[in-house]
Amino acid sequence: MTDIVEGPALAALSCGKPAFLVVMLHGEGADGQTMVDHALNWAPTMPKAEFLAAEAPVGVDGVKRWFDGGDPEGLAKGLAALERFLEAALAKRRLPASHLALVGFSQGATLALLAGVARPGPAAAVVAFSGGPYGAPPVGADGAPPILLIHGDADVVSPLAAARETKAELMGQGAKVWSMTRKGLDHAMDDDGVIAAGDFLTEHVAHKKSAAQDDHDHDHDDHDDHDHVH
């Protein structure tokens, strides 16, 4: 596979240098434009953020994918390629890792979650739509970013149980994880999920709360510890 490249982007509405970078990872067989289209819903409340779609390499079969499903070595190579891409993207915009957010769908969600948690100096936030059952990455000494998992309960490609297991594993390591279950939704992103993702990004990236507030809110969520079902 070739390297990951920059795809379509949505410039910061503030018209100046972006203060935040939201990198979006499409699903297998799709392209970056599918993710940028969703970002049009998020930009108005995040005027200082640039939304950048990454484009997965094209496989020998002509299909864009981040890694070959079920291949641990391929997943590791895909993660390493994404790390190189993210470092270059941040350096180009002169932004720190703490001003990076990752959003992914399907394979892109799996990679976004792995990269967001594994990065030294965690990202600002991760949103994973319909991620695959590849397990939760180990949380490093610097901790994990706030994470939102959005999943349809009718998903047969990546069953909802996988997301619930990932959430439990991450929370067991002290990560702050929220989840949203979309009733009747298959392997897809829908309007309510996209809106929830935008609210989450706005809160945790554009409007960062103090550590004390964040801890208080997390304790409350832990007490309730239920998926939001819509």
Side-chain angles (χ1 to χ4, degrees):
M1 287 188 174
T2 58
D3 286 337
I4 297 169
V5 299
E6 291 193 6
L10 187 61
L13 296 182
S14 61
C15 298
K17 174 183 175 293
F20 307 100
L21 177 64
V22 181
V23 173
M24 298 171 291
L25 309 176
H26 60 78
E28 182 177 7
D31 58 30
Q33 189 61 51
T34 61
M35 300 301 290
V36 169
D37 289 344
H38 293 304
L40 293 169
N41 297 282
W42 307 331
T45 57
M46 301 179 66
K48 294 183 178 181
E50 177 185 353
F51 296 88
L52 171 65
E55 296 284 359
V58 178
V60 294
D61 56 359
V63 175
K64 287 186 177 182
R65 61 171 61 87
W66 304 105
F67 55 89
D68 291 325
D71 175 15
E73 183 178 347
L75 180 57
K77 288 180 179 178
L79 181 58
L82 178 58
E83 278 296 331
R84 293 192 297 271
F85 174 85
L86 294 175
E87 287 298 332
L90 288 170
K92 179 179 177 181
R93 293 159 180 83
R94 301 189 301 281
L95 291 174
S98 59
H99 285 221
L100 168 72
L102 296 170
V103 180
F105 170 70
S106 191
Q107 267 201 352
T110 299
L111 215 56
L113 185 62
L114 292 172
V117 173
R119 290 182 60 78
V126 174
V127 180
F129 288 88
S130 307
Y134 297 99
V139 174
D142 294 330
I147 298 165
L148 174 61
L149 306 177
I150 303 176
H151 219 99
D153 67 358
D155 191 335
V156 295
V157 175
S158 178
L160 176 61
R164 288 178 169 164
E165 290 172 7
T166 297
K167 179 181 179 181
E169 290 177 23
L170 286 167
M171 291 185 71
Q173 299 181 69
K176 299 173 183 179
V177 187
W178 290 261
S179 58
M180 181 181 189
T181 301
R182 299 295 300 123
K183 189 172 180 61
L185 183 69
D186 57 12
H187 196 63
M189 296 170 63
D190 69 353
D191 290 343
D192 284 353
V194 169
I195 291 170
D199 291 343
F200 186 82
L201 290 169
T202 299
E203 178 180 2
H204 292 284
V205 180
H207 300 156
K208 286 186 176 182
K209 296 180 293 183
S210 70
Q213 288 176 309
D214 205 37
D215 286 344
H216 174 76
D217 287 351
H218 178 53
D219 290 341
H220 178 71
D221 284 346
D222 277 353
H223 179 71
D224 290 337
D225 198 19
H226 294 295
D227 288 343
H228 297 291
V229 181
H230 300 273

